[in-house]
Amino acid sequence: LFKNGQNSYGYLLTKQAYPRLYDLLDKANQTMGVSSTIVLYVLPGNNATIAYGRGKHHITIGLNLLQMLNAEELFTILLHELAHLIHQDSLKSNRWYRSIELLDRLSGEGGMQLFNQYLFQAMAIYSRFKFEMYKQLSSKFIELRADEALIDKGYNKTYISAGLKIEYFENYAQRPLIESNLTKTEEPTATHFEDDFRDFLEYLSIHKGEIDQRIPKELIRKRHTHPTLFQRMERFGVDTFEIEPMIPYDETELQALLKVFDEMPPEGKDNYKPTYVNFLDQQI
């Protein structure tokens, strides 16, 4: 959704339409001493990412974060993403991608000797392997290094509060057989994203205690390339599962954004909620 050949980052958020969000970004830039050009986007989802391309850095924020994180929590998420910028993490990844794309293109060019085509193809495969190894071996270090930018800046509890909310929504979205009555062809309601968030709040009011007990035990389930939330809690010296109020960073801008999403041509709920967990995986 919101991705095409010209834009692979999400729905573009302009400074004119979303000034409050860009105010938070400006504050984060000043805090981190960043002067690079940064553009903001949003996609349905529950995380934030940063990428580099065409001379700019692009931060994509999940819609769920804009619904549930207050201004200070969202500010800490932006600080974390800017730490990746400072460490040139996205720039390094972009170089890998460009190298692999070049090798793919060379291996498919006509008129080239068959030997050279196979050579470039082999180099592309090897580069992909090397890049995957790089991600597996260094991603956790990269994330921990980005976290270091926030430690002792006075945002420890707020950053963990944001992480808890993200974890709560992840547990909500990954319930076994979630909404099993829905099919890929069923059209979403006109207020799908608001309805989904209200369902989440109801789910959280009932299950928060269970999820809190589960979080310290998540070391095995989580990807090895990222620190778990509990590891982050220990690192930031936060031992409480208390979260800050579940309010958006700005109600006016959120409502404008929800209106944009609600008016999308319906393509089935499966596009909106891609994260499903196999029921058998939950029994392990």
Side-chain angles (χ1 to χ4, degrees), residues 134-145:
Y134 163 77
K135 288 196 296 183
Q136 289 290 327
L137 294 174
S138 63
S139 285
K140 181 171 282 192
F141 165 75
I142 288 172
E143 291 298 319
L144 291 172
R145 186 174 61 177

Side-chain angles (χ1 to χ4, degrees), residues 11-26 40-42 61-71 74-75 78 193-194 247-262:
Y11 176 73
L12 175 64
L13 301 174
T14 65
K15 192 169 186 177
Q16 292 74 20
Y18 299 93
R20 175 68 173 131
L21 188 55
Y22 274 88
D23 284 345
L24 287 175
L25 177 61
D26 289 342
L40 298 176
Y41 306 81
V42 65
I61 305 171
L63 177 63
N64 301 132
L65 272 62
L66 301 180
Q67 288 177 297
M68 64 187 172
L69 301 189
N70 63 42
L74 189 55
F75 173 68
L78 291 172
F193 297 103
E194 297 98 310
I247 56 176
Y249 80 99
D250 185 276
E251 186 66 42
T252 301
E253 292 189 7
L254 174 62
Q255 290 305 317
L257 193 56
L258 287 171
K259 188 173 186 294
V260 171
F261 276 73
D262 287 337

Side-chain angles (χ1 to χ4, degrees), residues 194-251:
E194 297 98 310
D195 297 342
D196 194 43
F197 189 67
R198 279 194 294 270
D199 289 345
F200 160 64
L201 294 180
E202 182 179 350
Y203 170 83
L204 183 61
S205 68
I206 299 171
H207 298 282
K208 182 179 184 303
E210 301 170 20
I211 302 173
D212 289 346
Q213 292 180 7
R214 195 182 308 149
I215 287 174
K217 303 174 184 178
E218 296 255 295
L219 299 180
I220 297 176
R221 188 184 72 82
K222 288 290 186 180
R223 290 179 298 169
H224 297 296
T225 54
H226 283 66
T228 68
L229 174 61
F230 191 66
Q231 288 172 330
R232 280 180 161 139
M233 291 178 72
E234 291 184 320
R235 193 171 183 83
F236 280 79
V238 178
D239 58 4
T240 174
F241 292 91
E242 180 182 349
I243 59 174
E244 297 183 10
M246 191 79 72
I247 56 176
Y249 80 99
D250 185 276
E251 186 66 42

Side-chain angles (χ1 to χ4, degrees), residues 3 35 45 64 84-85 134 168 176-177 244 253 261:
K3 291 187 177 184
S35 58
N64 301 132
H84 286 306
L85 183 158
Y134 163 77
Y168 293 148
L177 305 180
E244 297 183 10
E253 292 189 7
F261 276 73

